[in-house]
Amino acid sequence: MEFKAKTVEEAIELGLKELNVTADGAEIKVIEEPSKGLFGRIKGQAVVEITKKQSDIERAVTFVQGILDIMELNAVATLTENGENTVITLESKDSSSVIGYRGEVLDAIQTLAGAAANIGKKDYKKVVVDCENYRDRREETLIKLAKRLEEKATEMRREVILEPMSPFERRIIHTTLADSQTVKTKSDGKEPNRYVVIVPNDKDEFAKPYNAGRNGNDRGRNGRNGRDNRGGKKFSKGGRDRRSSGFTEEKRKAPSGFGTYLGNSLKNN
């Protein structure tokens, strides 16, 4: 906002009082200074522009809103506090476009928001970007999935391979099964195709992993029952069977859209 007075000092004082902010909490720009005329008389008025300084989180909200506008997503970003986390909530009539396939768009925006909020700061503050309570709903889904696959891995005595997930989602699986008496979990692969493997304590060393990431399809990578497309088996030069024993990293399909999870995500598990 612009404020006018006889002197720059008076204009600044007027502006700070009206905005109810201190000089340290404001950005002040002198637009015009009064000049001295004949015989020392003051001509014109001082004009200053004063705006409240935004906090790091407020800048992040403004930044997110700019991203939404550039992407032409009809959504509004608002700031809420949720315990230790800062939550930026996106409200939109077309929430599916804002969330993306399994939260990929939401995760990408969250990564950028975290970077914007923490640039130049020593103490990292986690920023969560959410839409229609997607984060809680997704967590609930993953907890149920983890428990169901824990039972399957225990019953079959085989490793169960999940589909590629973000660090945030992998952490949910690990945390859910951390106290399991029958299985352990580990992460394998490279981003953005990193995934969780559920390993039964009583594992059958000769059993192939069960690939839950293919909707339960338990075939080898070359087709039905581990055979190649020509109907024959594949062997190495030494005569050993090279049929796939599970889902390979090369065959995993990278998530569409934004597939890299950076600074604002949790560390790889």
Side-chain angles (χ1 to χ4, degrees):
M1 295 180 62
E2 290 188 356
F3 300 91
K4 300 178 181 180
K6 291 182 179 180
T7 65
V8 170
E9 291 74 15
E10 289 178 356
I12 292 175
E13 184 179 355
L14 177 65
L16 295 177
K17 184 176 181 180
E18 184 168 330
L19 295 175
N20 191 28
V21 65
T22 64
D24 291 336
E27 294 181 354
I28 303 171
K29 181 180 180 181
V30 178
I31 305 298
E32 185 178 341
E33 295 188 46
S35 58
K36 290 185 178 181
L38 192 61
F39 305 116
R41 292 181 179 179
I42 302 297
K43 296 176 59 178
Q45 287 184 308
V47 180
V48 298
E49 183 180 81
I50 302 178
T51 56
K52 288 185 178 180
K53 286 183 178 179
Q54 289 185 314
S55 66
D56 295 326
I57 298 303
E58 288 172 335
R59 283 201 300 270
V61 175
T62 301
F63 179 72
V64 167
Q65 187 62 61
I67 293 175
L68 296 172
D69 294 341
I70 292 173
M71 296 176 66
E72 297 184 350
L73 294 174
N74 186 16
V76 177
T78 57
L79 177 64
T80 58
E81 294 291 337
N82 181 14
E84 297 181 355
N85 292 336
T86 296
V87 181
I88 299 176
T89 301
L90 308 183
E91 298 180 3
S92 174
K93 293 182 179 179
D94 187 12
S95 59
S96 60
S97 296
V98 175
I99 295 172
Y101 177 72
R102 293 190 178 171
E104 287 178 349
V105 175
L106 209 59
D107 285 338
I109 295 175
Q110 177 172 290
T111 296
L112 296 174
N118 289 283
I119 289 177
K121 292 179 60 178
K122 293 183 179 179
D123 298 327
Y124 182 85
K125 186 174 183 63
K126 181 172 175 59
V127 178
V128 176
V129 177
D130 203 358
C131 179
E132 291 191 352
N133 206 31
Y134 171 82
R135 299 294 183 191
D136 288 342
R137 290 188 286 111
R138 179 63 172 159
E139 180 175 1
E140 183 179 347
T141 298
L142 290 174
I143 289 174
K144 292 179 180 179
L145 174 67
K147 292 180 178 179
R148 185 170 70 250
L149 294 182
E150 174 191 17
E151 294 178 0
K152 183 177 288 291
T154 302
E155 179 183 352
M156 297 189 306
R157 297 176 59 205
R158 298 163 62 185
E159 291 185 353
V160 174
I161 301 175
L162 281 69
E163 64 187 358
M165 295 180 181
S166 70
F168 168 77
E169 293 184 331
R170 294 198 304 271
R171 185 181 180 88
I172 293 173
I173 302 293
H174 290 309
T175 301
T176 301
L177 301 182
D179 297 326
S180 173
Q181 301 299 312
T182 60
V183 301
K184 296 181 177 62
T185 61
K186 64 179 181 179
S187 287
D188 203 352
K190 297 181 180 180
E191 296 290 7
N193 294 325
R194 197 161 171 79
Y195 54 93
V196 174
V197 181
I198 300 176
V199 184
N201 295 338
D202 187 24
K203 174 185 172 182
D204 182 350
E205 296 297 334
F206 298 99
K208 295 188 299 182
Y210 178 84
N211 184 3
R214 280 191 185 175
N215 299 320
N217 187 351
D218 189 33
R219 299 172 181 172
R221 77 178 188 181
N222 296 310
R224 295 179 181 272
N225 301 320
R227 296 179 183 273
D228 64 18
N229 294 331
R230 296 169 296 178
K233 297 180 181 180
K234 285 193 174 182
F235 295 91
S236 64
K237 292 182 179 179
R240 298 181 63 184
D241 188 351
R242 293 197 294 114
R243 289 179 297 174
S244 171
S245 61
F247 198 45
T248 62
E249 179 184 336
E250 290 79 11
K251 293 292 288 184
R252 290 188 172 273
K253 182 180 179 181
S256 60
F258 302 94
T260 304
Y261 305 91
L262 304 174
N264 196 45
S265 298
L266 298 171
K267 292 183 178 179
N268 293 349
N269 295 293

